[in-house]
């Protein structure tokens, strides 16, 4: 098929309007600037200068310049730059950032309307001029790019068409900022080295107010986004200096903005307690499948060419079978060599295709690095790189999406290979959104694991941040600038700085005098106080990052059934079932009563709940008043009477009379309250007060005392009330331990219990008759009446309502979780809080719990100290309280970590740890053995001779190291001797092989004179061919 067959067909046309259309892909302006920085990095530049030049003759009043010392371009390479979509960097194994051949055009046209490029390489100097202004004023629809070239030594034009060169230079002098040849040559002189590139963008784009989008005036050392700074905007989205500092995951290029060096960062070295997690997945296949299809296409083309060449060689052999002339043999040899080379090329393509096919099936591996940003905790999230180039920053995953303090301040870093995820053209997102979301979910799971591994939640989140100077309750506030906290942060994160000469990264040891020190732009290795790394020829020290592992909670069979059951319930709500056919469409077999199945699933799941602390075990998941009503309905009068008679002998009349005076006073107060509120027994109060559970023996004693004082009859309401209270106490402990706090189940139970309230609440007349009983019985019944629905004082209601909305931390399963008080139940003995957690990492942890106020398993999040609050902060909190109507202080509170702990337990724990440490590092042949050490008392351990202990330990360690070193030196000497022997044997073998090859060549030339063999590969191929023919 000749190409002339297509000459009559239409061609695609590229108009100059496409320059603007192509630039609109850059929504983030700094992303367009970064395209020009990426080109410098791909060109192998070690330094790039970004600066502005004032020029009021053009829009924006300044020009933006990018100067690098990379490899530069000659005329042919510069010509390929102006071709859209063509890139020599696009190879699967490439580590370069550019892949699409579009960054220079789209990036520069996003910044301004025109750009001019000066580049030097070896003996050539080339200028590329791309201008929308030129096209508009000349009325040209197609894209025209002048491309003149000069000799760098003679500065004479390098062209075969002087007329074309004159037109190109005339256009540059007319529409560019440089109006003569001397001004153009001055730009080439700014490239100090023999190679390099200078890009100048001018006629900058303006905003609606007529000002340029970039601000080069406010900060003379930076380039900022124009306009006032917005609250909550990260510094990388406002400052180009901050953005370029994190632009590359492993910076190896010096970046200068407005003449000042950018302090680039390796993020993993700027985090507290970094930890690496290796992640493998078979999910990322899109990019690998594209490479397999491409390799398969190339393989088929190579195989087709190889078959054609072999067929041509066989036909020529048949044609020249009787012709033995020299010319015929030479021609045949050339054809056969071409066929052989094509066959080998086809084999190579086939192996490449097989390798990529295997790579498609193999799981892709990535490394997630997490750490805590103790310098600025508000700047948290995931930094996602592709081929070492930043694509997404501050991406929230996992618990960070919920906005709580869990996982707050944690930064994640991952470098995604090009074969795993492909970035979009503007390098601000990924092409496959589905696989990118899968990556974020995986990072969220590993983030939760990291949060567990570092144990911040167990120690107390607010206590952790207080240690580093975050004294304000406002999460967005910066840490304290006090010297104490500055040193504390500097101790945990050592300073990492890059040498300006060798570009190696050096970690400086911590010194008090270096805290807050400003290092010069031209910092060298010789300035390092570390004598090991104070020279450029010393190897770069690798960062020692601990490796963690994701431990997933294995779902049991009951968990899976429960998940399927929930899906079934959701489908049944959304999908009407009108026939058996609709029923079969459901994912599970459904019985006639799905609610019973769901409850059975929940009950089977409850048996596997983990054990909780005692206080949380006894804390009810529902308001005590509702629970007691439900249990009172189930209890019977006869059962309570029989149990009271059994315990009648355990009590004396004397104990009942002793407490009569104090209890009678409470009785009189209760009677006055009943007189004021005649409907107290029939209608429950809105603020329910919970009475402390009374034991069965105590109730029996009260009944016994009553009979001794002459009260011979028990009212039915008293019997029902006491029995309900008693059964609540006995059942609550067993049921609450295994209960799963599902919101749907809570709502169903509350509705059922509210329907039963009217049947079990005692009346006013019954409560009045209780005043005639003895003191203890009256006290018990009065508490039960208050628990069942009696009204409380207004002051107590107000104090109870104050507790609602408080932020607290609660200990569940030995882990502290943050939450909010959503309900309060109060009695005269105690107050209970219902705490709803902000974030629950596993399905086994309840979403809310009842807990007794003031217990060891709950601590209040205290407001910030007034001394650390500014008037603005205080005023803001008052406004928030006024708006919400709540008495809580701030949305972000601090847990009260000042509660006293048991000193005895702390001492025992320290003694045990100290004893175990001494046993573990006990030197051999020490005068105190392990048995004696285990039996030592804390007083003896306090006077333990640590100095002698460590001296003997160090002596033993030195002896051990000396022994290892001696053995290693002996092995080195033995290995060197063997290596010398092997080198001698290898040299002899090579000489013999070379001699043998020469003899074979001489032998073949005697047999066949026209043979031409110049290399060893040709000789091997010829011998293989002879062997094949013989076979």
């Amino acid at each position: 098929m000749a190409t002339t067959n297509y000459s009559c067909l239409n061609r695609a046309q590229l108009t100059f309007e496409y320059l603007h259309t192509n630039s609109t892909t850059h929504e983030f302006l700094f992303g367009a600037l970064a395209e020009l920085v990426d080109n410098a990095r791909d060109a192998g530049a070690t330094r790039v200068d970004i600066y502005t030049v004032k020029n009021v003759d053009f829009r924006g009043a300044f020009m933006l310049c990018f100067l690098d010392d990379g490899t530069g371009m000659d005329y042919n390479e510069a010509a390929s730059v102006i071709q859209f979509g063509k890139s020599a960097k696009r190879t699967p194994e490439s580590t370069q950032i550019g892949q699409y051949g579009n960054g220079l055009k789209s990036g520069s046209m996003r910044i301004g309307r025109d750009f001019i490029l000066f580049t030097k390489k070896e003996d050539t100097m080339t200028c590329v001029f791309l201008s929308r202004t030129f096209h508009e004023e000349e009325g040209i629809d197609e894209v025209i790019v002048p491309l003149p070239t000069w000799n760098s030594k003679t500065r004479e034009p390098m062209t075969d068409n002087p007329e074309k060169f004159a037109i190109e230079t005339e256009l540059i002098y007319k529409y560019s900022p440089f109006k003569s040849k001397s001004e153009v040559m001055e730009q080439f002189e700014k490239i100090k080295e023999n190679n390099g590139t200078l890009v100048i963008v001018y006629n900058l784009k303006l905003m609606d107010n007529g000002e340029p989008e970039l601000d080069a005036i406010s900060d003379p050392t930076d380039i900022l986004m124009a306009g006032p700074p917005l609250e909550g905007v990260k510094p990388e989205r406002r400052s180009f200096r901050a953005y370029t500092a994190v632009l590359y995951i492993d910076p190896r290029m010096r970046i200068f903005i407005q003449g000042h060096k950018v302090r680039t960062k390796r993020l993993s070295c700027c985090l507290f307690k970094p930890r690496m997690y290796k992640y493998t997945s078979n999910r990322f296949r899109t990019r690998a499948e594209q490479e397999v299809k491409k390799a398969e296409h190339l393989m088929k083309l190579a195989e087709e060419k190889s078959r054609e060449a072999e067929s041509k060689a066989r036909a020529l052999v048949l044609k020249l079978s009787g012709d033995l002339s020299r010319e015929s043999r030479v021609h045949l040899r050339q054809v056969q060599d071409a066929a052989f080379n094509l066959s080998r090329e086809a084999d190579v393509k086939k192996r490449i295709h097989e390798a990529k096919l295997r790579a498609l099936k193999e799981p892709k591996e990535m490394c997630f690095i997490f750490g805590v940003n103790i310098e600025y905790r508000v700047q948290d999230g995931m930094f996602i790189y592709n081929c070492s180039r930043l694509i997404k920053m501050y991406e929230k995953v996992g618990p960070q999406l919920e906005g709580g303090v869990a996982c707050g301040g944690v930064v994640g870093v991952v470098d995604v290979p090009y074969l795993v995820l492909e970035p979009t053209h503007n390098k601000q997102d990924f092409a496959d959104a589905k696989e990118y979301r899968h990556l974020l979910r995986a990072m969220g799971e590993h983030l939760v694991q990291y949060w567990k591994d570092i144990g911040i939640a167990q120690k107390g989140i607010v206590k952790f941040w207080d240690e580093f100077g975050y004294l304000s309750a406002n999460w967005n506030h910066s840490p304290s600038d006090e010297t104490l906290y500055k040193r504390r942060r500097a101790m945990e994160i050592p300073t990492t700085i890059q040498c300006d000469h060798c570009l190696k990264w050096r970690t400086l040891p911590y010194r008090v005098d270096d805290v807050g020190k400003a290092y010069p732009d031209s910092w060298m290795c010789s300035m390092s106080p570390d004598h090991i790394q104070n020279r450029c020829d010393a190897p770069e020290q690798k960062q020692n990052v601990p490796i963690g592992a994701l431990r997933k909670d294995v779902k049991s069979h009951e968990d899976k059934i429960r998940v399927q059951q929930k899906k079934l319930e959701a489908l049944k709500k959304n999908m009407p079932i009108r026939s058996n056919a609709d029923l079969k469409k459901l994912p599970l077999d459904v019985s006639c009563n799905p609610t019973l199945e769901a409850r059975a699933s929940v009950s089977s799941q409850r048996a596997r709940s983990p054990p909780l602390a005692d206080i949380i075990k006894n804390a009810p998941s529902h308001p005590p008043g509702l629970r007691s009503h439900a249990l009172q309905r189930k209890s019977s009068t006869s059962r309570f009477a029989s149990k009271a008679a059994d315990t009648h002998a355990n009590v004396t009349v004397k104990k009942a009379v002793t407490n009569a005076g104090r209890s009678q006073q409470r009785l009189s107060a209760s009677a006055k309250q009943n007189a004021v509120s005649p409907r107290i027994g029939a209608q429950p109060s809105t603020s329910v007060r919970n009475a402390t559970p009374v034991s069965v023996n105590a109730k029996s004693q009260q009944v016994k005392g009553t009979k001794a004082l002459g009260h011979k009859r028990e009212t039915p309401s008293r019997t029902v009330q006491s029995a309900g209270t008693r059964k609540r106490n006995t059942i609550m402990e067993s049921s609450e331990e295994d209960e799963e706090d599902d919101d749907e189940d809570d709502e169903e139970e509350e509705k059922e219990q509210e329907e039963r309230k009217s049947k079990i609440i005692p009346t006013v007349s019954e409560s009045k008759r209780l005043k005639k009983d003895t003191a203890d019985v009256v006290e018990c019944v009065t508490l039960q009446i208050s628990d069942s629905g009696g009204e409380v004082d207004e002051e107590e209601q107000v104090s109870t309502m104050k507790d609602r909305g408080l932020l607290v931390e609660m200990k569940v399963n030995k882990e502290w979780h943050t939450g909010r008080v959503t309900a309060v139940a109060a009695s005269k003995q105690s107050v209970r809080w219902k705490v709803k957690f902000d974030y629950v990492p596993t399905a086994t942890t309840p979403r809310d719990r009842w807990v007794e106020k003031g217990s060891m398993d709950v601590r209040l999040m205290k407001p910030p100290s007034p001394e650390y609050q500014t008037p603005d902060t205080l005023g803001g909190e008052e406004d928030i309280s006024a708006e919400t109507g709540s008495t809580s202080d701030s949305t972000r509170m601090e847990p009260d970590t000042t509660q006293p702990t048991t000193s005895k337990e702390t001492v025992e724990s320290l003694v045990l740890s100290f004893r175990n440490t001494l046993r573990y590092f006990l030197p051999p042949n020490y005068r105190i053995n392990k048995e004696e050490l285990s039996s030592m008392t804390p007083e003896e351990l306090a006077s333990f001779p640590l100095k002698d202990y460590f001296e003997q330990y160090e002596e033993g360690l030195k002896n051990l190291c000396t022994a290892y070193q001696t053995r290693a030196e002996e092995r080195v000497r033995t290995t060197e001797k063997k290596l010398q022997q092997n080198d001698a044997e290898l040299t002899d073998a090579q000489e013999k092989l070379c001699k043998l090859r020469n003899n074979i060549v001489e032998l073949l030339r005697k047999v066949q004179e026209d043979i031409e063999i110049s290399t060893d590969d040709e000789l091997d191929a010829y011998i293989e061919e002879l062997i094949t023919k013989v076979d």
Side-chain angles (χ1 to χ4, degrees):
M1 297 286 292
T3 57
T4 55
N5 296 340
Y6 307 112
S7 59
C8 60
L9 301 181
N10 293 330
R11 268 36 173 199
Q13 297 279 332
L14 183 67
T15 64
F16 91 99
E17 287 293 339
Y18 179 74
L19 298 176
H20 169 68
T21 305
N22 187 40
S23 67
T24 56
T25 58
H26 292 284
E27 298 178 3
F28 183 41
L29 186 56
F30 285 167
L33 273 65
E35 292 279 4
L36 306 182
V37 182
D38 293 339
N39 290 337
R41 181 182 179 275
D42 288 343
T46 60
R47 172 170 177 156
V48 58
D49 285 86
I50 306 165
Y51 58 94
T52 57
V53 177
K54 187 176 180 180
N55 192 329
V56 295
D57 295 334
F58 297 97
R59 291 203 314 175
F62 67 87
M63 302 183 298
L64 188 61
C65 306
F66 298 80
L67 174 64
D68 68 74
D69 60 351
T71 56
M73 294 177 285
D74 56 20
Y75 177 81
N76 295 326
E77 292 171 336
S80 65
V81 165
I82 62 175
Q83 298 181 11
F84 289 81
K86 183 177 181 180
S87 175
K89 309 173 187 177
R90 190 183 299 169
T91 58
E93 296 80 14
S94 174
T95 58
Q96 294 182 319
I97 300 171
Q99 297 287 336
Y100 302 107
N102 193 46
L104 175 63
K105 282 81 70 176
S106 64
S108 58
M109 291 293 108
R110 173 65 181 87
I111 305 167
R113 296 174 57 84
D114 312 295
F115 84 85
I116 184 168
L117 180 148
F118 303 92
T119 181
K120 289 169 60 176
K121 186 173 183 180
E122 298 175 351
D123 296 335
T124 62
M125 299 188 304
T126 306
C127 179
V128 180
F129 181 57
L130 184 59
S131 170
R132 290 184 61 201
T133 304
F134 154 64
H135 287 83
E136 290 176 353
E137 293 191 6
E138 296 287 341
I140 301 173
D141 191 34
E142 57 183 349
V143 179
I144 295 177
V145 183
L147 199 70
T149 303
W150 293 268
N151 187 294
S152 59
K153 295 181 180 179
T154 62
R155 298 194 175 185
E156 294 296 327
M158 296 179 62
T159 179
D160 297 333
N161 190 344
E163 183 179 357
K164 173 187 173 185
F165 183 86
I167 295 174
E168 290 175 334
T169 53
E170 182 181 354
L171 290 175
I172 292 174
Y173 300 154
K174 182 177 180 181
Y175 292 103
S176 78
F178 314 108
K179 304 302 182 181
S180 63
K181 179 180 179 180
S182 60
E183 293 182 3
V184 170
M185 291 301 151
E186 287 179 4
Q187 308 310 311
F188 282 113
E189 290 176 357
K190 292 181 180 178
I191 306 174
K192 303 299 182 181
E193 306 295 333
N194 295 329
N195 303 320
T197 302
L198 171 63
V199 179
I200 301 176
V201 184
Y202 58 99
N203 276 331
L204 305 180
K205 291 188 177 181
L206 307 178
M207 299 185 297
D208 295 339
N209 58 4
E211 296 294 327
E213 295 177 293
L214 296 174
D215 179 9
I217 300 175
S218 299
D219 189 348
T221 65
D222 198 359
I223 298 175
L224 306 175
M225 287 286 191
L230 301 177
E231 184 179 359
V233 176
K234 298 294 189 292
E236 289 79 4
R237 293 197 171 274
R238 172 162 176 79
S239 166
F240 191 54
R241 175 176 294 274
Y243 181 66
T244 53
V246 297
L247 186 59
Y248 304 110
I249 195 170
D250 187 20
R252 298 291 173 180
M253 179 176 66
R254 296 167 294 170
I255 302 175
F256 288 79
I257 297 179
Q258 303 287 35
H260 296 269
K261 186 178 180 180
V262 175
R263 179 80 180 274
T264 52
K265 302 177 183 178
R266 288 200 299 181
L267 281 181
S268 59
C269 299
C270 303
L271 303 175
F272 171 69
K273 284 191 175 181
R275 190 178 293 264
M276 179 189 296
Y277 295 85
K278 293 185 178 180
Y279 171 66
T280 57
S281 175
N282 291 314
R283 181 69 177 268
F284 307 100
R285 299 172 62 90
T286 303
R287 182 61 187 167
E289 288 174 351
Q290 295 175 359
E291 293 297 329
V292 168
K293 291 179 180 179
K294 183 178 178 181
E296 184 180 6
H297 176 67
L298 295 176
M299 179 191 69
K300 290 180 179 179
L301 290 179
E303 288 178 347
E304 185 178 353
K305 290 181 180 180
S306 176
R307 286 193 297 269
E308 291 179 0
E310 290 176 356
S311 177
K312 184 178 179 181
R314 286 194 297 269
L316 188 60
V317 169
L318 295 176
K319 181 179 179 180
L320 301 177
S321 59
D323 190 357
L324 300 177
S325 62
R326 180 181 178 86
E327 292 78 7
S328 300
R329 292 198 304 272
V330 170
H331 180 55
L332 178 62
R333 173 61 58 194
Q334 292 175 351
V335 173
Q336 289 177 341
D337 290 343
F340 177 74
N341 292 333
L342 290 173
S343 177
R344 286 204 303 183
E345 183 179 354
D347 291 339
V348 172
K349 299 291 185 184
K350 185 177 180 180
R351 286 195 293 270
I352 292 175
H353 174 259
E354 292 174 351
K356 291 188 176 182
L357 198 60
R358 289 193 301 270
L360 175 64
K361 299 177 182 178
E362 294 176 355
K364 306 299 185 295
E365 182 175 310
M366 288 174 282
C367 292
F368 301 152
I369 299 179
F370 297 98
V372 183
N373 186 4
I374 61 176
E375 293 291 342
Y376 303 99
R377 67 179 180 183
V378 70
Q379 299 176 14
D380 57 356
M382 304 299 112
F383 283 72
I384 303 172
Y385 293 80
N386 181 268
C387 291
S388 299
R389 162 61 148 88
L390 180 64
I391 304 297
K392 304 285 284 186
M393 55 183 175
Y394 298 114
E395 285 282 280
K396 307 294 184 184
V397 298
Q400 293 178 341
L401 294 171
E402 301 175 7
V405 295
C407 300
V410 177
V411 173
V413 183
V414 59
D415 188 13
V416 182
Y418 185 70
L419 286 177
V420 174
L421 278 178
E422 183 179 8
T424 54
H425 285 212
N426 59 8
K427 299 183 183 65
Q428 297 299 313
D429 207 341
F430 290 96
D432 196 322
K434 186 177 180 180
E435 292 187 351
Y436 176 61
R437 288 195 298 269
H438 176 74
L439 173 66
L440 293 183
R441 283 195 298 270
M443 295 192 75
E445 294 175 357
H446 287 77
L447 174 62
V448 173
Q449 183 64 54
Y450 170 76
W451 190 252
K452 292 180 182 178
D453 291 345
I454 59 178
I456 292 180
Q458 289 81 353
K459 299 176 183 178
I461 297 176
V462 177
K463 182 178 180 181
F464 167 79
W465 289 114
D466 283 345
E467 185 179 353
F468 295 106
Y470 290 90
L471 307 177
S472 173
N474 191 332
W475 182 265
N476 298 326
H477 283 187
S478 301
S480 173
D481 291 333
E482 294 182 16
T483 305
L484 172 66
Y485 295 115
K486 280 186 176 182
R487 292 177 179 176
R488 182 69 182 89
R489 295 192 293 268
M491 287 175 60
E492 297 295 343
I493 302 179
T495 302
T496 306
I497 192 169
Q498 190 177 29
C499 176
D500 196 63
H501 182 260
C502 65
L503 301 181
K504 293 179 182 178
W505 288 91
R506 303 300 186 190
T507 301
L508 305 183
Y510 170 75
R511 296 192 303 182
V512 176
D513 297 338
D514 293 342
V515 176
K517 178 181 177 181
Y519 294 92
D521 290 346
S522 57
W523 189 89
M524 301 289 186
C525 292
S526 57
M527 300 179 182
S528 174
D530 188 356
H531 66 280
I532 300 177
Q533 295 186 334
N534 59 0
R535 60 186 188 280
C536 289
D537 58 349
E540 183 176 288
Q541 187 176 3
K542 293 183 179 180
Q543 186 185 12
N544 185 18
V545 180
I547 298 178
L550 177 64
R551 294 182 292 274
K552 290 187 177 181
D553 296 333
V554 181
K555 287 188 177 181
S556 62
H557 183 65
E558 291 80 2
D559 293 334
K560 295 178 181 178
I561 292 177
R562 186 181 181 188
V563 172
Q564 293 294 330
Q565 195 70 30
K566 287 185 178 180
K567 292 181 179 179
L568 176 63
E569 293 293 338
L571 283 175
K572 282 163 50 180
K573 292 179 181 178
N574 300 328
M575 181 188 299
I577 301 176
R578 302 185 182 90
S579 62
N580 292 333
D582 295 337
L583 191 62
K584 292 180 181 179
K585 293 179 182 179
L586 296 176
L588 296 174
D589 294 335
V590 191
S591 66
C592 297
N593 192 357
T595 305
L596 295 177
E597 292 181 7
R599 290 183 179 177
S601 172
V602 173
S603 63
S604 64
Q605 176 67 18
R606 288 174 181 173
R608 294 180 176 270
S609 299
L612 300 177
D614 295 336
I615 295 177
I616 300 178
K617 281 183 183 180
N618 300 328
S621 294
H622 304 279
L626 300 179
R627 174 70 68 178
S628 62
H629 296 331
L631 295 178
Q632 284 175 359
R633 183 179 177 88
K634 298 178 182 178
S635 61
S636 63
T637 306
S638 59
R639 183 175 179 182
F640 171 77
S642 62
K643 291 194 176 182
D646 292 339
T647 57
H648 181 81
N650 298 331
V651 145
T652 61
V653 178
K654 184 178 180 180
K655 185 176 290 187
V657 176
T658 305
N659 298 326
R662 178 170 49 88
S663 301
Q664 190 64 33
Q665 294 176 359
R666 298 182 183 176
L667 175 61
S668 61
S670 177
K672 290 179 182 179
Q673 185 178 356
N674 293 338
V676 174
S677 303
R679 293 179 296 173
I680 187 172
Q683 184 175 356
S685 173
T686 56
S687 177
V688 182
R689 295 171 59 92
N690 183 19
T692 305
V694 184
S695 64
V696 177
N697 291 334
K699 294 179 184 178
S700 302
Q701 292 171 2
Q702 293 165 358
V703 173
K704 174 73 175 180
T706 304
K707 291 181 179 180
L709 290 173
H711 297 279
K712 297 182 179 180
R713 63 172 185 165
E714 296 274 351
T715 61
S717 61
R718 271 177 52 193
T719 306
V720 173
Q721 182 75 11
S722 302
T725 306
R726 179 177 167 191
K727 189 165 185 179
R728 181 186 66 183
N729 295 332
T730 56
I731 296 176
M732 189 74 68
E733 295 180 359
S734 60
S735 64
E736 289 300 320
E737 179 177 354
D738 301 326
E739 183 173 356
E740 191 80 17
D741 290 314
D742 256 348
D743 294 337
E744 297 178 1
D745 295 345
D746 292 345
E747 293 175 1
E748 292 177 3
E749 291 181 8
E750 289 176 2
K751 289 179 181 179
E752 294 176 2
Q753 291 162 355
E754 286 175 0
E755 294 174 358
R756 303 171 185 171
K757 278 184 181 180
S758 59
K759 301 180 182 180
I760 58 177
I761 298 178
T763 61
V764 179
S765 59
E766 292 172 345
S767 62
K768 288 182 178 180
R769 285 198 299 269
L770 295 177
K771 292 187 290 183
K772 300 179 181 180
D773 296 334
T774 56
D776 291 315
V777 177
V778 170
E779 181 180 357
C780 176
V781 176
T782 304
L783 290 176
Q784 295 301 325
I785 291 175
S786 176
D787 186 32
S788 301
E791 295 183 359
V792 295
D793 295 339
E794 293 182 359
E795 296 181 359
E796 294 179 347
Q797 288 184 5
V798 172
S799 63
T800 301
M801 292 300 294
K802 284 184 179 180
D803 292 346
R804 296 188 63 181
L806 291 180
L807 292 181
V808 297
E809 275 192 329
M810 184 172 174
K811 188 174 183 181
V812 180
N813 296 338
K814 298 182 180 180
E815 293 186 3
W816 288 95
H817 299 281
T818 59
R820 185 183 296 274
V821 177
T822 58
V824 182
S827 68
K828 294 186 177 180
Q829 282 79 11
S830 64
V831 178
R832 293 181 182 272
W833 287 344
K834 185 176 183 180
V835 179
K836 186 170 184 180
F837 302 120
D838 294 334
Y839 172 71
V840 180
T842 60
T844 58
T845 306
R847 285 190 285 271
D848 53 24
R849 277 288 173 190
W850 284 89
V851 65
E852 187 173 351
K853 179 180 178 181
S855 66
M856 297 298 293
D857 289 324
V858 66
R859 56 193 186 192
L860 180 66
M861 301 186 71
K862 61 182 179 181
S865 302
E867 58 181 320
Y868 297 116
Q869 282 189 308
T870 62
D872 297 339
T873 306
L874 294 172
E877 292 176 354
E878 291 175 359
D879 295 341
I880 293 172
S881 301
E883 291 175 3
T884 58
S886 172
T887 56
S888 59
D889 292 340
S890 178
T891 55
R892 286 191 182 269
M893 303 290 289
E894 303 184 10
D896 189 2
T897 58
T898 60
Q899 295 184 0
T901 58
T902 307
S903 59
K904 183 178 179 181
E905 295 178 357
T906 305
V907 172
E908 291 177 355
S909 177
L910 289 174
V911 169
L912 181 60
S913 301
F914 184 52
R915 183 182 288 111
N916 291 338
T917 304
L918 294 177
R919 284 172 53 87
Y920 185 81
F921 294 100
L922 190 67
N925 302 326
Y926 191 63
R927 55 189 176 86
I928 302 176
N929 55 29
K930 291 186 177 181
E931 289 74 14
E932 296 176 352
L933 191 60
S934 301
S935 61
M936 292 178 70
T937 63
E939 292 76 10
E940 294 174 345
L941 288 174
S943 59
F944 190 84
L946 285 177
K947 183 176 181 180
D948 178 53
Y949 175 86
F950 283 116
E951 287 178 356
Q952 191 165 346
Y953 175 77
E954 290 176 359
E955 183 179 355
L957 192 61
K958 289 179 182 178
N959 295 335
L960 184 62
C961 294
T962 304
Y964 278 127
Q965 186 175 2
T966 304
R967 291 172 58 187
E969 291 175 353
E970 291 177 357
R971 290 188 178 183
V972 167
R973 286 192 292 269
T974 305
T975 305
E976 288 178 352
K977 291 181 181 179
K978 290 184 179 180
L979 183 61
Q980 292 175 358
Q981 295 176 0
N982 293 337
D983 290 341
E985 293 176 359
L986 179 61
T987 304
D988 295 339
Q990 289 177 348
E991 291 177 356
K992 292 180 181 179
L993 180 60
C994 183
K995 186 175 181 180
L996 179 60
R997 288 180 182 276
N998 294 333
N999 294 337
I1000 292 174
V1001 172
E1002 293 297 331
L1003 179 61
L1004 291 176
R1005 286 177 178 172
K1006 289 182 180 180
V1007 175
Q1008 187 176 355
E1009 296 179 357
D1010 59 341
I1011 189 171
E1012 295 180 0
I1013 298 176
S1014 57
T1015 62
D1016 295 340
D1017 293 337
E1018 293 179 357
L1019 177 61
D1020 294 339
Y1022 185 75
I1023 293 174
E1024 290 178 2
E1025 184 180 357
L1026 290 178
I1027 295 173
T1028 304
K1029 289 182 178 180
V1030 172
D1031 294 340

